[in-house]
Amino acid sequence: MTKQQLINNIRQKRSFLCVGLDTDIKKIPPHLLNAEDPVFAFNKAIVDATAPFCVAYKPNLAFYESLGVKGMMAFEQTVAYIRDHYPDQFIIADAKRGDIGNTSELYARSFFEHAKVDAVTVAPYMGEDSVKPFLAYNGWVILLALTSNMGSHDFQFSEDAQGVRLFEKVLLKSQEWASDERMMYVVGATQAKMLLEIRKIVPHHFLLVPGVGAQGGSLEEVCQYGMNDQCGLLINASRTIIYADNTKSFAEAAAAEAHQMQVEMERYFQF
């Protein structure tokens, strides 16, 4: 999916919501445990219920890898289902990969050739040669820049001799590798006020923003400080949507939560 296609979808749906498919088999409604593939059955119902209100889905690989082969089959089935039934959705493999070049090449092949996702989250710590293999494909790289967890302050705010913080160096250096047509950045919603500084460095890039909802991030603040004239935001919500209910009405509850977020997002549209 191109940047313009993503922008068009956002404008059409009046939404920049990304639903995080962080599907924990220990948290899904008990009646689904009798299904042949409980994780896929849950995901399918969530996707069918929320697709009208979002523009992206983000399966977090940890939740699938923890189940071994069956989990990875559920991940692949989920991606294929979204691709076949909702081709306008932007699919992000939240894998946080990043390794030496030949290993990154195989990670990239796995997600872009085999799973056929639109984007992969990548850790930039090992530098250019660990990121470039992902850019060899016709997909997006979403670099971790400034995350929403408490430990982000351990390293990401470290300054070099010139006073440039590590997350700023990631933003500056990575622009040499790809343009805003191929690269996005993860910026946590709990760091909302930092978005003003981030936008000075990357005014035109899309930002994937987790942390709204269960982690306490403010949608209003993220929009105030991070939105650009083409929106430029994908706001991820996971637990608040997919675990809104634990009964047989879980999908309806998820749809209601997603719709509520979409309505709130529409209030902040500037284009």
Side-chain angles (χ1 to χ4, degrees), residues 14-69:
R14 309 294 288 176
S15 172
F16 41 100
L17 174 62
C18 173
V19 174
L21 297 174
D22 298 1
T23 307
D24 186 343
I25 198 168
K26 296 181 179 181
K27 293 182 179 179
I28 66 176
H31 73 277
L32 291 177
L33 297 177
N34 296 321
E36 181 178 353
D37 186 337
V39 170
F40 175 65
F42 177 82
N43 285 354
K44 178 179 179 295
I46 292 291
V47 168
D48 287 339
T50 60
F53 312 114
C54 67
V55 296
Y57 288 99
K58 182 176 72 64
N60 185 319
L61 267 293
F63 291 87
Y64 303 89
E65 291 171 344
S66 68
L67 299 174
V69 173

Side-chain angles (χ1 to χ4, degrees), residues 17 34 36 82-83 100 105 121 133 151 153 171 178 187-188 194 257 259 266 269:
L17 174 62
N34 296 321
E36 181 178 353
I82 298 169
R83 183 68 67 224
I100 59 173
E105 287 175 13
T121 57
H153 288 257
L171 296 170
V187 180
M194 297 300 300
E257 287 289 332
H259 187 203
E266 194 167 12
F269 265 58

Side-chain angles (χ1 to χ4, degrees), residues 85-148:
H85 292 82
Y86 304 99
D88 63 332
Q89 294 288 344
F90 188 75
I91 305 175
I92 302 166
D94 190 3
K96 300 178 180 71
R97 298 299 194 252
D99 208 332
I100 59 173
N102 62 333
T103 308
S104 280
E105 287 175 13
L106 295 176
Y107 281 138
R109 185 191 305 173
S110 169
F111 290 112
F112 289 126
E113 282 190 16
H114 185 70
K116 294 180 169 45
V117 299
D118 292 294
V120 182
T121 57
V122 176
Y125 180 77
M126 293 181 69
E128 179 178 5
D129 60 325
S130 69
V131 176
K132 276 291 186 73
F134 294 93
L135 293 166
Y137 289 85
N138 187 28
W140 288 78
V141 165
I142 307 181
L143 280 190
L144 303 180
L146 187 58
T147 56
S148 57

Side-chain angles (χ1 to χ4, degrees), residues 76-87:
E76 292 180 7
Q77 279 188 279
T78 298
V79 171
Y81 183 79
I82 298 169
R83 183 68 67 224
D84 290 343
H85 292 82
Y86 304 99

Side-chain angles (χ1 to χ4, degrees), residues 3 135 140-141 174-185 204-206:
K3 182 180 180 181
L135 293 166
W140 288 78
V141 165
S174 61
Q175 290 183 70
E176 299 175 10
W177 308 337
S179 73
D180 56 87
E181 299 282 340
R182 298 286 314 283
M183 188 172 285
M184 302 185 189
Y185 298 100
H204 305 300
H205 287 71
F206 262 89

